[in-house]
Amino acid sequence: MGNRETAGSLPAGGGRRRGQGELEAQVLSVLRTAPGPVTAAWVQERLPGRLAYTTVMTILSRLRAKNAVTRQREGRSFAWEATADQAGLAALRMRRVLDGERDREAVLTSFVTSLSPEDERVLRELLGHTDDDPEE
């Protein structure tokens, strides 16, 4: 009686459950390989494991809310297209966290002071390249 798992309670193959971020990254990865806008069913067929169509739709909707994908009406369904890669999705998540904080300066200060020397070097390099330098 202790083992009451049903066929639908575990991912295909009985493996571990994937987190929302991992699923979003997988869906984005599949969309980035698409020849253009594709249906949710197209995405579902190319994802590892057996995700329910409704799960794929939920992930696509969450990605749309984060502006990581767009959709366009195609007949009675939608065709989806990636507008961000995995790095872009991570940046969107970081921005959303920052936007939710009152003391942005404190959050940024804490973040920057916790960076590794290599990450700090990259950030300094990125900040050194501004778009408003008239000589470039």
Side-chain angles (χ1 to χ4, degrees):
M1 287 276 178
N3 187 359
R4 296 182 36 140
E5 296 170 346
T6 62
S9 67
L10 290 175
R16 67 175 180 80
R17 285 191 167 274
R18 291 173 282 200
Q20 177 181 325
E22 186 179 349
L23 287 173
E24 289 176 351
Q26 287 177 347
V27 168
L28 264 184
S29 180
V30 167
L31 281 174
R32 305 263 327 147
T33 67
V38 293
T39 64
W42 189 94
V43 173
Q44 180 189 25
E45 290 171 6
R46 285 154 181 85
L47 287 170
R50 292 184 172 173
L51 288 180
Y53 178 82
T54 53
T55 301
V56 174
M57 286 298 299
T58 298
I59 298 301
L60 286 166
S61 296
R62 287 180 180 158
L63 288 169
R64 182 170 176 252
K66 296 175 182 180
N67 296 317
V69 301
T70 59
R71 71 178 187 186
Q72 58 191 30
R73 176 72 66 185
E74 209 171 83
R76 292 175 51 171
S77 63
F78 289 102
W80 301 83
E81 190 167 30
T83 58
D85 57 12
Q86 290 183 20
L89 181 59
L92 288 168
R93 285 194 299 260
M94 291 167 64
R95 176 65 187 263
R96 201 166 60 187
V97 168
L98 184 60
D99 287 347
E101 295 296 324
R102 283 169 141 192
D103 191 348
R104 295 171 68 94
E105 185 175 344
V107 173
L108 286 169
T109 299
S110 180
F111 176 73
V112 170
T113 58
S114 69
L115 292 175
S116 70
E118 177 62 16
D119 288 342
E120 185 178 339
R121 183 196 62 75
V122 170
L123 184 58
R124 285 183 187 281
E125 192 174 290
L126 290 170
L127 291 173
H129 295 135
T130 60
D131 292 335
D132 47 21
D133 187 353
E135 295 186 18
E136 288 188 15

